[in-house]
Amino acid sequence: MGCALSGPGVTKESTFSEEKRGSFLEGGLDLSEETECGETPEQLSLSESQKALIQESWKILHEDIARVGIIVFIRLFETHPECKDVFFLFRDIDDLQQLKMSKELQAHGLRVMSFIEKSVARLDQEDKLEHLAFELGRSHFRYKAPPKYYEYVGAQFIQAVQPILKEAWTPEVEKAWESLFKYLAATMRRGFYTEEKTAGASKSLSSRKAGAESTPNKI
């Protein structure tokens, strides 16, 4: 699937270029059509050094985890207001200051940070990491949360943590987190579409059964 409560902008020292940001936020994470259809599992393409960079930076972020979670979603709602439609509790709140004080938003932000924390802890256990993200994608189908939003959360997380990590944020750290979120978003998408197909098959079967039961037997 946070930023400082005041929502600080990206500093001049940011390594995230305008061109790259536009591609990341608007075009998503360049996921393939096969992944969208749930046919080709994404591979976790992280080197051991990249895993170490993620783990070390997460140690710093974990100290301020609640704040990061709120920042991510405030930034998300600022840049993509339509995302609020997915959240029943927030869709009618237009005052961002009011949202910043929302206990419900803080709770949701913490849940997303918990998912990231579990993901970081499973970097050396790809089967468990895949299962975690896949099941979260399946549950998001039931929540009616479309896959396009998964990519937005990752992008906003990266933007939010740069001013928190300060000099610890490097192009190498950025690339490592980018790769992780690409993998998580792709795996969640696969889970979403798998659950969508399962629900569609179940609905079709129920309809056929209902049709058969309503059809009188002919002798």
Side-chain angles (χ1 to χ4, degrees):
M1 42 194 90
C3 91
L5 291 181
S6 59
V10 180
T11 61
K12 292 182 180 179
E13 292 74 23
S14 170
T15 59
F16 214 70
S17 70
E18 290 300 325
E19 179 180 355
K20 190 174 185 181
R21 182 185 301 112
S23 171
F24 198 59
L25 290 176
E26 301 303 330
L29 298 175
D30 191 26
L31 303 177
S32 68
E33 185 66 25
E34 288 78 15
T35 300
E36 288 188 14
C37 294
E39 297 174 0
T40 305
E42 178 79 12
Q43 297 299 311
L44 181 63
S45 57
L46 285 174
S47 66
E48 292 304 311
S49 61
Q50 285 180 313
K51 292 176 183 177
L53 287 172
I54 289 173
Q55 291 162 342
E56 287 303 312
S57 58
W58 180 252
K59 288 178 183 178
I60 300 173
L61 297 172
H62 189 268
E63 298 174 1
D64 211 2
I65 193 171
R67 177 168 167 258
V68 173
I70 292 177
I71 291 172
V72 167
F73 280 92
I74 291 298
R75 290 184 63 102
L76 178 65
F77 295 152
E78 285 178 331
T79 55
H80 297 280
E82 72 278 9
C83 290
K84 285 203 301 178
D85 292 338
V86 178
F87 299 91
F88 177 77
L89 293 172
F90 314 137
R91 65 179 57 171
D92 295 324
I93 302 178
D94 295 323
D95 186 350
L96 290 179
Q97 188 61 41
Q98 184 180 349
L99 269 177
K100 291 174 186 177
M101 306 303 293
S102 168
K103 288 188 176 358
E104 290 82 5
L105 182 61
Q106 182 177 20
H108 187 75
L110 282 171
R111 284 195 291 273
V112 172
M113 292 302 108
S114 176
F115 167 68
I116 295 175
E117 181 174 36
K118 290 175 182 177
S119 298
V120 172
R122 289 163 174 75
L123 288 179
D124 293 318
Q125 301 170 300
E126 188 172 343
D127 56 337
K128 293 184 178 181
L129 178 58
E130 179 184 8
H131 179 75
L132 177 72
F134 184 83
E135 290 302 315
L136 187 62
R138 290 183 63 193
S139 67
H140 274 60
F141 172 78
R142 297 189 287 272
Y143 300 150
K144 296 181 173 56
K148 66 178 182 179
Y149 297 129
Y150 313 159
E151 303 151 19
Y152 297 160
V153 173
Q156 294 307 327
F157 175 88
I158 286 176
Q159 290 297 300
V161 301
Q162 291 184 38
I164 296 174
L165 290 174
K166 299 177 181 178
E167 65 276 2
W169 185 264
T170 65
E172 292 75 23
V173 172
E174 179 180 308
K175 180 63 177 177
W177 277 107
E178 233 181 80
S179 297
L180 175 58
F181 276 116
K182 178 182 178 181
Y183 171 81
L184 294 175
T187 306
M188 285 181 65
R189 287 167 72 101
R190 186 160 53 87
F192 179 97
Y193 289 119
T194 297
E195 187 67 13
E196 182 180 54
K197 289 179 180 178
T198 300
S202 297
K203 186 176 180 180
S204 177
L205 179 60
S206 297
S207 296
R208 288 200 299 270
K209 285 183 177 180
E213 290 173 357
S214 64
T215 301
N217 293 326
K218 295 182 178 180
I219 300 177

